[in-house]
C-alpha cells in the first residue's frame, strides 16, 4: 500500500475544483489530541459545507492515494483524530456541516449533519419536546459524526444504549467518493447488510459520516438523583438489581464511585462540595427518569429503605431540588478532571461482565500491587459494566517518575480484563493508541473479517490509516494522479 502526501500540487488541484474557503492552511488545533500523546500533521485542511464537496474531496484523494483523516470535535482519547506518521494527510473537518436538517417529534426522529455539536442536538430535541439521551463530558465540543464514528457511550447507556442504538440511518461518503444516502427514519428495514452499523464505530476508516437520523425519546416528567453509600461493589450490583425491581427501566444512570476518586477531587478541586463529611469507601450515584404521577424523591426513599433493610446501603443523600441534583452530578463529572490534575501512570476504559466486577476489582488490586505501590481510582458506569480503571503514582510522586512502567501496567490490567471475558475498550474506541491491544486480544476470525472489509471498501487504504487496524508505514508512493 503506497500513499502520497497532500502536497502543494494536490492542494492546487483541489482548489480548482472546490469553492473558495473550503481549503485552508492547517491550524495547530487540528493536529492535537486531549492527552498529548500524539502530534498530528496535515498537508491540507478542508472544511466542506455540503456532502457533494465531501464526495469530491474523497474521490480526488482516492485517485491520488492521499490519506484522509476525518475530524469531528477532536475529543477522542485514543488518538483517532490525528495522524502522526506517514505522508501528510488531508484533514477533513465537518465543522461547517452543522445543520439540524429536520425534526419529527411524532416519529421521535431528528436529522442532523455530522458537524452538529452534541449539546446543540440535545437542545434541538428539547425544543421539540423530546430528549436525545446521549450525554457525555465533552458534549459541549464533541460532534455527532464523531460520536457515531466512535460509538460513544456516556452516562445514559444503561437506559438508552450507545450511539449505535440511537441511530436509524446515515448519509455517508465511502472511500470511492460515492455518496450513500441512507438517512432512513424507519425502525424496520430488513434489506440486506447493515451498512449503517458497519460505519458506526469504524472511526472513519471505512468512510465519512456526513449526516444521521437520530432516535429521540420522551422527556421524563420528573428526575430523581441520589448518592447512596454501599459497603462494596457486590452490594452496589445487588442495589442495581433492587433499583430495577422498584423502578423498572426508569433507571437512567447508575455510577460507581470509589473513595480514591473523592480524595483526588478534594485535593485537586476543593471547591466541589462533597455530600459526605467523611468520604465512604464506595458509593453509587443513581438517576431515575420518571413519568407523570410518580414522585421521584418518594421512589428513591423507598429504594433506600429496602436497600438498608437488605444490608446494602449505610447512608445516602436524595436531591430535593434541581440545584441539589446538579451538585451531586458535579461530584461524578469532575472526577476525571481531578484525575487529570493528579496525573495517572496508565488509564483504562474497560468493560467486564457485571456480575464479575467485584472479583475483577479485588484481583486487580492484587495485580497492580505486584507492580508497585500504586493508587487505583476505579469508577464509572456500573450499570453497563464499563469501568474507568486508572492507576496513579504513590502520593507525593509524579507520573513522570513511572513513565517507564506505563506499558507494563496497561498490559497487566488488560490481560486481567481479557481473562474475565471483558473488553479493553468499552466506550472510547481503538484509535491509534489501542491497535496493539486489538491485535493482542482480538479474535482471529474477527480480525480477518475486519481486514477483508477494509480491503473491500478502501483498497487504497486512504481512510484514517493507522486507526483501528495497525498500519505498517510504507515509503511514499509515486504520484499517478490525473493532474
Amino acid at each position: 500500500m503506497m500513499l502520497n502526501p497532500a502536497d502543494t500540487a494536490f492542494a492546487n488541484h483541489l482548489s480548482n475544483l472546490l469553492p473558495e474557503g473550503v481549503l485552508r492552511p492547517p491550524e495547530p488545533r487540528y493536529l492535537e489530541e486531549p492527552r498529548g500523546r500524539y502530534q498530528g500533521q496535515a498537508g491540507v485542511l478542508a472544511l466542506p459545507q455540503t456532502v457533494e464537496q465531501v464526495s469530491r474531496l474523497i474521490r480526488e484523494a482516492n485517485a491520488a492515494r492521499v490519506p484522509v483523516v476525518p475530524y469531528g470535535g477532536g475529543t477522542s482519547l485514543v488518538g483517532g483524530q490525528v495522524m502522526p506518521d506517514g505522508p501528510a494527510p488531508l484533514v477533513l473537518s465537518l465543522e461547517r456541516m452543522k445543520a439540524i436538517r429536520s425534526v419529527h417529534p411524532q416519529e421521535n426522529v431528528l436529522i442532523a449533519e455530522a458537524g452538529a455539536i452534541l449539546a446543540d442536538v440535545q437542545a434541538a430535541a428539547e425544543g421539540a419536546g423530546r430528549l436525545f439521551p446521549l450525554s457525555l463530558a465533552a458534549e459541549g465540543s464533541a460532534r455527532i459524526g464523531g460520536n457515531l464514528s466512535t460509538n460513544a457511550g456516556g452516562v445514559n447507556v444503561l437506559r438508552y444504549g450507545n450511539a449505535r442504538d440511537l441511530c436509524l440511518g446515515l448519509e455517508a461518503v465511502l472511500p470511492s467518493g460515492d455518496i450513500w444516502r441512507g438517512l432512513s427514519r424507519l425502525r424496520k428495514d430488513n434489506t440486506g447488510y447493515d451498512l449503517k452499523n458497519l460505519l458506526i464505530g469504524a472511526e472513519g476508516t471505512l468512510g465519512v459520516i456526513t449526516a444521521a437520523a437520530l432516535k429521540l425519546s420522551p422527556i421524563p416528567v420528573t428526575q430523581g438523583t441520589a448518592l447512596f453509600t454501599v459497603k462494596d461493589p457486590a452490594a452496589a450490583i445487588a442495589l442495581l438489581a433492587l433499583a430495577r425491581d422498584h423502578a423498572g427501566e426508569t433507571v437512567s444512570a447508575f455510577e460507581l464511585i470509589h473513595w480514591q476518586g473523592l480524595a483526588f477531587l478534594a485535593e485537586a478541586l476543593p471547591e466541589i462540595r462533597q455530600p459526605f463529611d467523611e468520604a465512604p469507601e464506595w458509593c453509587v450515584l443513581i438517576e431515575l427518569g420518571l413519568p407523570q404521577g410518580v414522585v421521584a424523591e418518594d421512589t428513591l426513599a423507598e429504594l433506600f429503605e429496602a436497600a438498608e433493610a437488605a444490608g446494602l446501603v449505610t447512608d445516602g443523600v436524595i436531591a430535593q431540588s434541581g440545584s441539589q441534583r446538579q451538585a451531586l452530578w458535579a461530584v461524578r463529572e469532575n472526577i476525571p478532571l481531578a484525575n487529570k490534575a493528579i496525573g495517572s501512570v496508565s488509564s483504562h476504559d474497560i468493560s467486564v461482565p457485571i456480575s464479575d466486577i467485584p472479583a475483577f476489582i479485588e484481583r486487580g488490586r492484587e495485580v497492580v500491587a505486584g507492580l508497585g505501590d500504586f493508587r487505583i481510582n476505579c469508577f464509572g458506569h456500573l450499570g453497563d459494566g464499563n469501568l474507568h480503571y486508572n492507576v496513579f503514582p504513590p502520593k507525593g510522586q509524579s507520573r513522570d517518575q513511572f513513565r517507564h512502567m506505563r506499558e507494563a501496567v496497561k498490559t497487566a490490567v488488560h490481560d486481567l480484563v481479557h481473562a474475565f471475558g471483558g473488553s479493553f475498550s468499552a466506550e472510547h474506541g481503538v484509535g491509534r493508541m489501542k491497535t496493539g491491544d486489538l491485535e493482542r486480544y482480538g479474535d482471529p476470525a474477527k480480525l480477518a473479517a475486519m481486514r477483508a472489509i477494509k480491503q473491500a471498501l478502501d483498497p487504497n487504504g486512504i481512510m484514517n490509516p493507522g486507526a483501528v487496524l495497525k498500519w505498517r508505514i510504507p515509503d511514499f508512493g509515486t504520484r499517478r494522479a490525473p493532474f
Side-chain angles (χ1 to χ4, degrees), residues 356-381:
D356 290 335
I357 285 176
F360 169 82
I361 291 175
E362 183 60 33
R363 180 65 184 135
R365 186 182 294 113
E366 297 170 359
V367 167
V368 172
L371 297 172
D373 186 23
F374 295 112
R375 294 174 291 176
I376 300 171
N377 184 16
C378 174
F379 70 103
H381 319 304

Side-chain angles (χ1 to χ4, degrees), residues 88-309:
L90 164 67
V91 173
L92 179 64
S93 172
L94 298 183
E95 64 195 75
R96 297 171 76 192
M97 294 182 63
K98 58 185 179 182
I100 306 296
R101 291 187 184 174
S102 62
V103 185
H104 308 270
Q106 292 183 327
E107 299 180 25
N108 282 322
V109 177
L110 179 150
I111 297 179
E113 291 184 339
I117 291 174
L118 174 55
D120 293 339
V121 174
Q122 295 167 340
E126 185 176 0
R130 294 293 184 265
L131 171 72
F132 183 62
L134 184 65
S135 180
L136 38 87
E139 61 193 31
S141 54
R143 299 181 187 273
I144 197 64
N147 296 147
L148 291 166
S149 292
T150 57
N151 189 29
V155 297
N156 289 327
V157 171
L158 174 61
R159 181 171 183 177
Y160 298 102
N162 292 334
R164 182 187 307 281
D165 302 302
L166 300 173
C167 183
L168 294 170
L170 293 177
E171 173 189 270
V173 177
L174 302 179
S176 61
D178 293 333
I179 301 172
W180 173 46
R181 302 186 188 275
L183 283 175
S184 172
R185 302 187 338 240
L186 302 176
R187 258 71 174 180
K188 292 184 176 180
D189 183 8
N190 276 334
T191 53
Y193 301 146
D194 193 342
L195 186 56
K196 164 178 65 73
N197 275 323
L198 189 61
L199 292 177
I200 294 174
E203 302 185 47
T205 61
L206 301 178
V208 180
I209 294 172
T210 54
L214 304 170
K215 291 182 187 177
L216 306 180
S217 295
I219 298 176
V221 175
T222 61
Q223 289 181 300
T225 305
L227 192 67
F228 292 166
T229 66
V230 293
K231 62 180 182 179
D232 53 32
I237 292 170
L239 178 61
L240 172 61
L242 188 63
R244 283 177 151 168
D245 288 343
H246 277 252
E249 295 306 312
T250 66
V251 182
S252 301
F254 198 91
E255 299 286 302
L256 182 69
I257 300 173
H258 183 237
W259 168 86
Q260 187 65 75
L262 298 178
F264 285 165
L265 193 63
E267 179 180 346
L269 298 169
E271 66 274 16
I272 302 298
R273 184 173 179 273
Q274 298 193 31
F276 301 114
D277 293 333
E278 184 175 343
E281 181 74 12
W282 294 99
C283 57
V284 293
L285 181 67
I286 306 171
E287 177 136 306
L288 307 180
L290 297 163
Q292 191 169 359
V294 182
V295 180
E297 293 80 7
D298 292 348
T299 302
L300 287 166
E302 292 169 3
L303 173 62
F304 180 84
E305 290 176 4
E308 187 178 39

